[in-house]
Amino acid sequence: MKTRILTILKETDGFVSGQELCDALHVSRTAVWKVMRQLEEEGYVIEAVRNKGYRLLEAADVMTEAELGSRMKTRWLGRNLVYFPETDSTNIQARRLAAEGCPEGTLVVADRQNAGKGRRGRSWASPSGTSIYMSFVLKPDIPPYCASMVTLAAGMAVVKAVEEETGLETGIKWPNDAVAGGKKICGILTEMSAELETIHYIVTGIGINVNQKEFPEEIRESATSIGLELGREVNRSALIAKTMEWFEVYYDKFLKTKDLSLLKEEYESMLANLNRQVRVLDPAGAYEGICRGIDREGRLLVELPGGEVKAVMSGEVSVRGIYGYV
Ligand code: BTN
């Protein structure tokens, strides 16, 4: 009910009467009044005038279920929203919900994670109040080997959303880290429950460094935040909603062909390593080459000194710039 009331307040130019809200939501005037009080306590400035009703004068800069819900413009993604002030890991919670049969597109958001997970078994530092930790559930009808391509589409959505919402120029470090100023601002962890040929569900978890000012020692050299790069704070709820909007667009395109043919060109335009020398950290031996883009399965195309082009699979290797992280 709070999300609906906030959405109506935001969409109404001027006053909305208490009676209109009661009729739309089938609740009492007292219930409406209570929600208005709660919203005011959270920092929203609401004008209440007898015989006119309520008018939103100023929205609060908060990340709550109601604020996120009122900003969501998607068709299906994030329409079922679960918010935790604190949880172990949004990926763990999304997997739990998926196993219990939640609808596709269910989005889990937390203000803080106490067991945030990174790739390759690493942890993901997740302090409160500054960053985005979110995971969503997908149930695509694709073979399991295609799941990693979804992650590339998620990276694109983050880059597009950050640029559109904040104006910060960002890029992708293959396969799906979003980078700004040569450092990482976002990591993505996709996990899957599948049998040999069928995916039960995919959980894509996205961590974005939004307003963080400090990083743990071990990542200080390679990590930054949007806020640090811009020199001002950014609204997390707006960025989440925008990322969801763009993911829907890219995911639809991906599902049309079940590969990245329709996304390849735009992905390459975002690729920070394109036509640059990269070092491929292959467990079988590191080598260098020039990054020439991706193929339609999302493999990185690396041109070796002799001219041969190698298609590098994510998961097997990691790629670094020659002079730094990107
Ligand atoms: C990486 O190592 O680059 C991937 C990091 C992914 C972190 C996000 S934060 C939200 C979601 N929940 C987790 O526990 N991990 C992902």
Side-chain angles (χ1 to χ4, degrees):
M1 172 171 72
K2 200 161 152 192
T3 304
R4 290 278 315 275
I5 290 184
L6 188 54
T7 309
I8 295 173
L9 281 175
K10 283 185 175 184
E11 284 172 354
T12 310
D13 235 3
F15 288 89
V16 54
S17 77
Q19 194 55 51
E20 276 174 271
L21 288 170
C22 296
D23 293 346
L25 284 103
H26 308 290
V27 292
S28 68
R29 274 182 179 255
T30 319
V32 169
W33 179 80
K34 274 191 186 153
V35 170
M36 295 299 172
R37 285 294 304 275
Q38 284 172 16
L39 290 171
E40 280 177 336
E41 273 162 26
E42 287 168 17
Y44 297 86
V45 184
I46 297 164
E47 187 182 15
V49 176
R50 196 181 286 276
N51 295 327
K52 277 188 165 175
Y54 301 97
R55 175 162 68 147
L56 181 66
L57 293 179
E58 206 179 297
D61 185 1
V62 290
M63 192 173 72
T64 58
E65 192 162 332
E67 179 62 23
L68 286 165
S70 73
R71 285 180 180 272
M72 214 55 83
K73 303 264 181 341
T74 47
R75 279 179 291 114
W76 54 274
L77 185 59
R79 287 294 168 178
N80 183 36
L81 177 68
V82 180
Y83 176 77
F84 294 99
E86 176 169 353
T87 190
D88 43 8
S89 146
T90 54
N91 265 39
I92 293 177
Q93 293 304 323
R95 290 188 70 154
R96 178 182 59 78
L97 292 167
E100 287 168 4
C102 72
E104 174 160 39
T106 294
L107 172 67
V108 180
V109 178
D111 179 48
R112 177 172 190 269
Q113 299 184 121
N114 53 45
K117 300 197 284 180
R119 278 184 295 155
R120 300 169 203 274
R122 287 191 281 252
S123 62
W124 185 259
S126 310
S128 72
T130 56
S131 300
I132 289 173
Y133 316 112
M134 63 177 171
S135 306
F136 47 85
V137 176
L138 303 170
K139 300 181 180 177
D141 181 15
I142 55 171
Y145 80 89
C146 293
S148 61
M149 300 178 210
V150 171
T151 317
L152 272 69
M156 293 175 75
V158 172
V159 163
K160 194 80 178 175
V162 170
E163 284 189 359
E164 219 173 82
E165 202 51 48
T166 73
L168 179 67
E169 204 179 302
T170 50
I172 295 178
K173 177 181 165 294
W174 182 86
N176 49 40
D177 285 354
V179 292
K183 293 182 172 187
K184 177 162 169 169
I185 56 159
C186 163
I188 300 177
L189 174 68
T190 291
E191 297 181 289
M192 167 170 70
S193 161
E195 277 165 47
L196 218 49
E197 283 173 9
T198 326
I199 292 181
H200 300 308
Y201 60 80
I202 291 177
V203 163
T204 295
I206 303 181
I208 309 178
N209 304 332
V210 184
N211 296 317
Q212 247 156 301
K213 294 195 173 68
E214 305 251 312
F215 292 92
E217 174 77 47
E218 61 278 14
I219 57 168
R220 210 162 282 161
E221 288 296 300
S222 60
T224 186
S225 70
I226 298 170
L228 279 176
E229 294 302 307
L230 284 173
R232 65 173 166 86
E233 298 228 325
V234 164
N235 182 301
R236 289 181 292 166
S237 302
L239 190 53
I240 290 174
K242 191 58 87 183
T243 306
M244 295 298 94
E245 265 179 61
W246 276 107
F247 183 76
E248 253 190 18
V249 172
Y250 292 133
Y251 186 64
D252 272 356
K253 286 193 179 176
F254 162 72
L255 284 184
K256 275 199 181 117
T257 57
K258 300 189 178 172
D259 65 21
L260 299 172
S261 337
L262 300 174
L263 296 176
K264 180 176 142 51
E265 205 179 307
E266 192 172 350
Y267 180 92
E268 286 174 346
S269 75
M270 296 175 173
L271 194 55
N273 330 78
L274 191 66
N275 296 327
R276 287 165 70 170
Q277 191 87 11
V278 289
R279 186 169 174 76
V280 180
L281 305 177
D282 192 320
Y287 58 91
E288 289 179 10
I290 297 173
C291 163
R292 294 296 186 206
I294 57 165
D295 65 12
R296 58 182 194 191
E297 294 187 352
R299 292 177 298 193
L300 189 73
L301 301 173
V302 178
E303 187 183 323
L304 303 179
E308 181 201 342
V309 176
K310 241 183 141 152
V312 179
M313 296 245 293
S314 69
E316 280 177 9
V317 299
S318 65
V319 170
R320 293 274 179 281
I322 296 297
Y323 302 110
Y325 175 67
V326 178

